[in-house]
Amino acid sequence: YEQGDLVKATLEFKNALQINPLASAHQYYMGLIAQKQNNIGAAMDAFRKAAGSDPKTFDANLKAGQLVLMTGDADTALGYADKVVALAPGKSEGHALKGASLLLKNKLPDAEKEAKAALAIDPKNVDAMIVLAGKQVRDAKPADALAIVQDGLTRAPDSKDLLLLKLKLVYDAKQPAEVEAVLRRLHEVDPKNEAYVIDLANQLAQANRLGDAEDVFRQAVAANPTSDALLSAFAGFLASKKGVDEAIAEISKLAGQSKDGKYVFLLEQLYIKSGKLGDAKALLTKFQQSSTAVNDKLQATVELARITILEGDEKAGLDQLNSVIVQDPGNETAVLLRGAI
C-alpha cells in the first residue's frame, strides 16, 4: 500500500481478512484503498467494519464518521464524532467532525463551539474553518463567511475545500473578478483538474473576454492534448463564438498532428453539426481504413452507421451496427442505436 501498488495491496489484505475477518487494521486499509479508488460506498463499509471490530481505534471511527457525514446522515456521523472526541479529546479532527455533524443538524451554537475547539488545538484545521463559515452562511451573513474563508486561506493557502467554498461565495455575491481569481488559483493548486480551466474559460467568455478565454483554452489543450473534456469544450467554444467552420479548422490542425482517434470523432461531430455529412463520412472512412486499433475501427463503423441513418437509409445503417455487435456484443452505443431503430 505504501508503495502505491493498490492491486497487490488489495489482494494481500483480502487474504489476511480470510484468515481473520475481524482484523480492524486490515479492514481500515481496505477502506483507504477504496477511498483512493473513489469507491466511497466500499470505503465507508470497510471503515465501519474496522470501527466495529475495534471500537477504540481513532482513525477508523474518524474516517467512518467523515464518510457517513458525506451521505447526509448527521445523527450517525455525530455518534462517530462523540466516540472520536472521547478517544482523543486533544485532537482537533474529532471536534471538527462533531461541529460539521451539528451544523448539518442545524444546531448552530453547538457547531460553532466545536469548530472553535478544533481550531484552538489546530489553527490550520480546514474542516473546522468550513464549519464556522457554514454557520455564518446559515445565519445569512455571507460576507462574514467569506471573511472566515479568507482568513483560513492565509493559514492553508492550498486548500481546495476552502477555495471551492470561496468560489461559491464570490459567485453568489456576483464578484466576477474574484471568481476568475479563485478559478486561476484552483488551477494552480490542482493543474490536472481540467474542470477548473474549462470553468475559467467559460467565465471569461461570459464576460465577453473572448481572446482571454481562447488563450486559456489553447494553453490548456497544449498542456493536455489528450483530454476529451478539454478538446470538446474548446471545440464548443470555437463553434459558438467563431462559428463551426472555425472549430473545424482548428480541430483539423490538431488531428493532423496526432493519430489519436478522439480528434477524428470530434471533427466528425463538427461536420455533422454544420450539415456536412459527406465530409464526415469521408473522414470516418479514411480513418477506418488507416487505423490499426480495433476499438477505433469499431467506433468509426458505429459513427458511419449513425450518419447513414441520418441520411435516411436505416437498413444499411442497421447492417453496419450488426457488423459491430457481432465483433463486440457489449458495444453499448451500437446496441442502443440499433434498439432506437
Side-chain angles (χ1 to χ4, degrees):
Y1 173 82
E2 299 295 342
Q3 294 174 356
D5 190 342
L6 300 186
V7 174
K8 187 175 180 180
T10 299
L11 291 174
E12 292 291 340
F13 286 122
K14 279 185 176 180
N15 290 335
L17 284 168
Q18 287 181 342
I19 299 170
N20 182 6
L22 298 179
S24 177
H26 297 155
Q27 288 287 4
Y28 178 73
Y29 272 101
M30 287 294 288
L32 291 179
I33 291 169
Q35 193 172 20
K36 281 197 172 188
Q37 294 171 334
N38 291 318
N39 189 341
I40 301 303
M44 182 166 60
D45 184 56
F47 290 137
R48 295 182 80 161
K49 286 179 179 177
S53 296
D54 182 3
K56 293 185 178 181
T57 174
F58 174 86
D59 291 333
N61 277 288
L62 176 63
K63 286 284 189 180
Q66 289 171 334
L67 293 188
V68 167
L69 185 66
M70 289 173 60
T71 71
D73 186 350
D75 289 327
T76 302
L78 184 58
Y80 280 112
D82 284 333
K83 290 180 184 177
V84 173
V85 171
L87 287 168
K91 289 189 175 182
S92 67
E93 294 93 332
H95 294 286
L97 176 59
K98 189 170 183 177
S101 303
L102 290 166
L103 181 67
L104 195 58
K105 290 170 66 67
N106 213 36
K107 295 186 176 182
L108 304 187
D110 291 337
E112 183 178 38
K113 176 183 175 183
E114 291 297 329
K116 286 182 176 179
L119 289 170
I121 298 168
D122 178 10
K124 294 184 178 181
N125 189 305
V126 169
D127 291 336
M129 299 175 202
I130 290 173
V131 171
L132 288 181
K135 192 260 184 187
Q136 296 302 320
V137 170
R138 295 198 179 205
D139 282 339
K141 298 178 180 178
D144 290 344
L146 182 57
I148 290 171
V149 172
Q150 294 275 43
D151 178 63
L153 285 168
T154 63
R155 284 173 272 162
D158 294 338
S159 168
K160 284 198 295 181
D161 289 335
L162 284 175
L163 286 167
L164 287 169
L165 179 53
K166 181 179 179 180
L167 180 63
K168 182 182 185 309
L169 291 169
V170 295
Y171 182 83
D172 289 345
K174 296 181 173 56
Q175 298 177 11
E178 283 297 313
V179 170
E180 177 186 343
V182 176
L183 285 170
R184 289 188 184 279
R185 179 63 184 140
L186 279 165
H187 179 51
E188 289 176 1
V189 170
D190 187 5
K192 292 183 179 180
N193 192 327
E194 57 214 11
Y196 301 140
V197 175
I198 293 171
D199 287 346
L200 173 59
N202 289 334
Q203 174 73 15
L204 294 169
Q206 288 174 12
N208 206 33
R209 293 168 57 187
L210 301 184
D212 291 339
E214 186 172 341
D215 287 344
V216 167
F217 270 128
R218 288 187 182 281
Q219 290 170 14
V221 169
N224 190 5
T226 61
S227 167
D228 290 339
L230 271 176
L231 289 169
S232 181
F234 184 36
F237 165 79
L238 290 172
S240 64
K241 302 301 181 183
K242 291 191 168 185
V244 177
D245 289 342
E246 181 73 21
I248 288 173
E250 189 64 39
I251 301 302
S252 293
K253 289 180 189 175
L254 293 172
Q257 299 166 8
S258 172
K259 295 181 180 179
D260 196 321
K262 61 170 57 70
Y263 294 104
V264 173
F265 298 121
L266 179 55
L267 190 55
E268 168 232 342
Q269 294 300 315
L270 291 169
Y271 278 134
I272 292 175
K273 188 173 183 178
S274 65
K276 298 176 180 179
L277 300 185
D279 288 340
K281 286 179 72 173
L283 175 73
L284 289 169
T285 301
K286 181 180 178 181
F287 177 70
Q288 187 184 50
Q289 293 170 349
S290 63
S291 176
T292 57
V294 174
N295 287 338
D296 280 347
K297 284 180 174 289
L298 291 176
Q299 187 176 347
T301 303
V302 172
E303 295 304 318
L304 282 167
R306 192 193 305 276
I307 295 171
T308 301
I309 294 165
L310 287 173
E311 291 177 328
D313 192 345
E314 288 190 354
K315 183 180 182 305
L318 189 59
D319 288 342
Q320 290 171 309
L321 292 174
N322 285 333
S323 72
V324 171
I325 293 170
V326 167
Q327 298 177 70
D328 180 14
N331 191 300
E332 186 175 346
T333 306
V335 171
L336 289 174
L337 195 52
R338 184 175 70 173
I341 296 176

